[in-house]
Amino acid sequence: MYFRRQAQVLGVLGTLFGGGYAQVGAAITLDVTSADSIKAAAGTAAYNMMKVYTGNQTGGVPGLLPQPYFWWEAGSMFGQLIHYWHLTGDSSYNDVVSEAIQFQVGADNDFMPQNQTKDLGNDDQVFWAFTAMDAAELGFPNPPSSDPSWLSLAQAVFNDQVLRWETGACNGGLRWQIYPFNAGYDYKNTISNGGLFQLAARLARYTGNQTYADWAEKTYDWIAGTPILAANYQVWDGTSRTGNCSGAVETYWTYNVGTLISGCAYMYNFTNGNATWGTRLSGLVNNGTGVFFVQTAGLNNPPEQAPPGGMIMSEVACEFPTPQTCDPDEPSFKAYLARWLAVTTQLAPWTAPFIMPRLTASAQAAAAQCTGQATNMCGRRWYQTVWDGYFGVGEQMSAMSVFQNLLIAKVAAPVTAEKGGTSVGNPAAGGAGDNQQPSSGQVALGRVVGTGDKAGAGILTALSLILIIGATWWMVV
């Protein structure tokens, strides 16, 4: 079973995004030994992805995708486009990306816009923070001084989320949802907690601030102390505070293991190769990803003919069933795993011999699947050699990501404030706890403060306890 948003209606996906096999064209040509070929393939997928976006058109809202896509996926899309610029050198979308990010920062410059409160979860907010960190780490053009900086936006989200850390149930952790009126409020999912872990690790490396590193350690330790993370480094989807986090929702998703890999890679790099972080990273890369790489199934064979133990990335939980059960979010998940694996090879180069052959094989398989609608629309099942009839933002984003990340060895690693970074931060950024009441038994732990981005900062403790009634969570089997 897997927790989904109530608004998602799987039955319409075939109508909205394909599901048939009409209008099949030639596959994308991809020569993995040619940078120009890789850039062209990524450019095709990026163009097809952005055809869905209307936020830069008259009457559109910058930063939003049309229904049925949720707000968080738009934020993640802009992060992918920042990587697209960094890896290919194509700046065609930069202005659109900058406009979109700044339009969605919200009144407190922390990615909590009022019109998203009906759906806003901690995972949604942190994906926009990832995009802001992408911009800071990759040297994306800075916004005007009148707008919040990339680094300060990420810091604001961190400050918001540590205020939500709960100690009354499960001895810690973030809830999935921020507001008690949203379904899933009692669910503590991996991507929310892994998101905070990754964000803290990236902020630690960029700023050199030990407080962020302490929070990264704290969050990882909490995850590892729950059934979410198995002893063999398999990563489940989440756990529920109603059972005091005694069990796990045993569903695999690529972005869950991906966010833990990324956080461990940043901490490994930040700590100059600490053996503990190296062990964790090795376990997650070598063991945690295994379920997601399968063998080819050839020409439109049944999914059971794509056995494990291969080199082609697959979102097994929703791609394997017939018909496929992927909702609008899930086809994008492979994009994040591909991106985070690629960056890991820069932060911990010893992982490259394992990672890069898998990204290469996945890219080659994805290119063969990009035959849809006579315009090279990419599908989901990369392990098939014909288009599976699906297309949409997530499908194009995942293909774009796996294509462009073949160029990772040709570009600079993420910068830091000390080495190349130009984004000026604000360690006190954020909403000061606005609209984010701590739950029963929770102490608001305060925010990171300091006199500058390169200086250390401490934690101010906010001595308040706020009691609220938890809402029930909603589950789809």
Side-chain angles (χ1 to χ4, degrees), residues 155-156 159 212 425-432 447-450:
Q155 290 171 312
N159 289 336
Y212 296 124
N426 176 9
R447 58 210 305 104
V448 178
V449 295

Side-chain angles (χ1 to χ4, degrees), residues 281-296:
L281 179 59
S282 178
L284 288 162
V285 169
N286 292 298
N287 299 334
T289 63
V291 68
F292 301 111
F293 287 93
V294 300
Q295 300 177 41
T296 183

